[in-house]
Structures are given as structure tokens and as C-alpha cells.
């Protein structure tokens, strides 16, 4: 058991989770990553948990891949049993695992699409609560930690329909209310609004619909930017001032002086899509 930062990123076979994990790895952290894809070809997009773990090692961290189905509470409990046994602590959790249905960005009302789109409220919302439940127990005991949720401007404006929007609003509220519960334990809870991301999924969509996304493609964020912001929040001696807040990744990166991996400052879309609404200070217990 060492003194290095121990991080957990859920849903990191590819996409946002993978990029966040790689950014955390560059700080020398041990990064435990979860996902269901163990072999190429098991999912329609490239990437596996073992490939991500290998790239974490190459980035300067230590990658630990754990196959977890986040719709199965027993899997999550076993994950945390393993973390306690093997590492004895947990410094950062990024709740990123979610269900993205292929019809999510297709045109049409929610009633015309598959009912399975609502599964994002299971793997994406409920699953984040379960992970945070076990993470908080460890962090409260050690009196330190960061619990982060990946969210988006879809919490404010219409984006991809009601199920997606409800999931984003939900994780924002998790951060706000967990921040209250954790305020006396030096554990920070934040929700992070990512902008348009350059991932395996969005690259495919952009190739198929170049005109629709031509304004976003050149300025899209890498998912590593979110990971760099999470790392900076953890290392910030004043981070408890951020607890319970919903933060725009691009704005927080600017606050910390962080540039994206391409060396550029990324724009915020708060003026275009709406800014986060922070929690009312009233507390009813």
C-alpha cells in the first residue's frame, strides 16, 4: 500500500471515462477503471478496460482494470471490497458510467424511440448513487476525498430528450445534496458540465453528419480536460469551497489556468445553453 493518489473512474473502456482516467494517470496516480468490455468486438465501439489500463501505465500511472456491470449492485459492492483490501483508501471517484442508446441523438419525440432510452436512469443515475454510497464510507473514514459526476449542459437546456436531461439534472442534485452531507468530513462533491467532447462515439457521429456539427468539431474538448480539472480540484487546498457546486469544465479549467491537450483554451457554452443553477442555501433536515 503506497501513498500515491488512488482514483476510481467508472465507465472507462472508452470515451469520456478513458480520457479522464488518462489525465489522472499523468499525475502518477493509481487509476482503477471499470467497464463491461473485456475484449474488442464485444461493443460496437473500440476500447476495452484492459486497453485503457495499459494506456494508463504508459501515461505514467498505474492502471487497474475491474470488470463491473454497474446495473448489478453486487458487482459494485465487490469492487469496493477489492479497493479496501488492495489499496486501503480512495482519494477520487469520477462517476461516469452510463447507458447511451444508439437512438439517443436521432430526431423524433421520446415516445417514438426505444423505451430502453430510460435505462440511463439506472446505469447513469442510480448507479452513480451506489458508487458514491460506498466511496463516501471510505472517504469519511479517512477524512478526505473527491466525488465527481460527469454532467452536461443538457441539465439546463433541451438536449437529447427527457431521459438524458433527467439523468444530468439528477447527478447535479447528487453533488449538491451530497455536498451538504459531506460538508463536515473534508470530502468534496462536484458535478462537472463537459462541453462537446471528441470521443470515439462523437467522431463517428461527426463523420456521418459533418454539416450538423461543423461548428463544434474544431473547438471540442478532449475528455482529458475534465480529468485535469478533477485532478486540480483534488489538489486544491481550498477545494471544500467548491463542494456541492455544479461547475462548467471549460470555466473551471480557465480558473486553474489549464489548457486542453491541444494547447488551447476551450469555450464555455453557458451563454448559449444556460449556466448551472447552484443549490439554494436552505437546508431542511
Amino acid at each position: 500500500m503506497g501513498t500515491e493518489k488512488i482514483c476510481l473512474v467508472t465507465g472507462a473502456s472508452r470515451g469520456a471515462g478513458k480520457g479522464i482516467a488518462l489525465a489522472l494517470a499523468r499525475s502518477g496516480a493509481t487509476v482503477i477503471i471499470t467497464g463491461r468490455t473485456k475484449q474488442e468486438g464485444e461493443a460496437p465501439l473500440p476500447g476495452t478496460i484492459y486497453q485503457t489500463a495499459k494506456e494508463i501505465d504508459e501515461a505514467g500511472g498505474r492502471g487497474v482494470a475491474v470488470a463491473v456491470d454497474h446495473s448489478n449492485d453486487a458487482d459494485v459492492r465487490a469492487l469496493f471490497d477489492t479497493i479496501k483490501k488492495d489499496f486501503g483508501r480512495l482519494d477520487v471517484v469520477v462517476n461516469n458510467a452510463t447507458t447511451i442508446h444508439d437512438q439517443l441523438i436521432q430526431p423524433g419525440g421520446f415516445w417514438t424511440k426505444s423505451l430502453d432510452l430510460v435505462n440511463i436512469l439506472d446505469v447513469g443515475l442510480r448507479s452513480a448513487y451506489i458508487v458514491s454510497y460506498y466511496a463516501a464510507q471510505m472517504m469519511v473514514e479517512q477524512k478526505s476525498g473527491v466525488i465527481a459526476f460527469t454532467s452536461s449542459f443538457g441539465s439546463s437546456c433541451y438536449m437529447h430528450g427527457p431521459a438524458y436531461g433527467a439523468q444530468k439534472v439528477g447527478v447535479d442534485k447528487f453533488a449538491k445534496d451530497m455536498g451538504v452531507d459531506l460538508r463536515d468530513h473534508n470530502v468534496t462533491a462536484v458535478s462537472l458540465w463537459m462541453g462537446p467532447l471528441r470521443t470515439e462515439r462523437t467522431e463517428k457521429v461527426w463523420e456521418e453528419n459533418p454539416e450538423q456539427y461543423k461548428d463544434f468539431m474544431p473547438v471540442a474538448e478532449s475528455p482529458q480536460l475534465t480529468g485535469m480539472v478533477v485532478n486540480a480540484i483534488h489538489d486544491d487546498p481550498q477545494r471544500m469551497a467548491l463542494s456541492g457546486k455544479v461547475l462548467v469544465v471549460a470555466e473551471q479549467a480557465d480558473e486553474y489556468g489549464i489548457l486542453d491537450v491541444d494547447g488551447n483554451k476551450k469555450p464555455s457554452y453557458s451563454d448559449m445553453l444556460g449556466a448551472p443553477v447552484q443549490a439554494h442555501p436552505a437546508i431542511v433536515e
Side-chain angles (χ1 to χ4, degrees), residues 67-115:
V68 174
D69 179 352
H70 281 277
S71 69
N72 185 331
D73 293 353
D75 271 16
V76 179
R77 178 59 186 267
L79 166 68
F80 278 89
D81 287 343
T82 298
I83 293 171
K84 289 177 188 176
K85 175 178 174 291
D86 292 350
F87 304 102
R89 66 177 294 106
L90 185 59
D91 300 294
V92 174
V93 168
V94 181
N95 284 291
N96 176 72
T98 192
T99 294
I100 299 295
H101 196 281
D102 288 341
Q103 292 183 8
L104 182 70
I105 62 172
Q106 293 179 4
F110 70 92
W111 65 94
T112 69
K113 302 179 184 181
S114 170
L115 189 58

Side-chain angles (χ1 to χ4, degrees), residues 248-264:
V248 176
V249 167
E251 294 173 9
Q252 198 62 34
D254 190 37
E255 185 76 19
Y256 284 129
I258 297 170
L259 299 177
D260 207 344
V261 292
D262 61 3
N264 293 321

Side-chain angles (χ1 to χ4, degrees), residues 19 21-29 31 55-56 59-61 224 228 231 261:
L22 292 177
L24 291 169
R26 293 189 181 100
S27 71
V31 188
E55 292 182 36
I56 289 169
Q224 287 94 322
M228 289 187 278
N231 190 63
V261 292

Side-chain angles (χ1 to χ4, degrees), residues 207-258:
E207 287 174 7
E208 294 170 352
N209 305 277
E211 282 302 309
Q212 183 177 352
Y213 297 101
K214 62 183 173 60
D215 293 335
F216 287 122
M217 286 188 289
V219 293
E221 296 171 13
S222 77
Q224 287 94 322
L225 183 64
T226 298
M228 289 187 278
V229 167
V230 170
N231 190 63
I233 289 171
H234 176 271
D235 293 349
D236 186 345
Q238 303 300 318
R239 63 178 168 79
M240 285 303 293
L242 299 175
S243 193
K245 299 242 173 132
V246 180
L247 306 171
V248 176
V249 167
E251 294 173 9
Q252 198 62 34
D254 190 37
E255 185 76 19
Y256 284 129
I258 297 170

Side-chain angles (χ1 to χ4, degrees), residues 14 55 65 75 81 86 117 128 139 153 170 193 210 243 270:
R14 63 190 65 83
E55 292 182 36
D75 271 16
D81 287 343
D86 292 350
L117 266 73
M139 291 176 175
F153 290 89
W193 283 13
S243 193
S270 292

Side-chain angles (χ1 to χ4, degrees), residues 37-48:
T37 308
K38 295 185 283 185
Q39 292 185 341
E40 289 289 356
E42 290 180 345
L45 292 169
T48 72

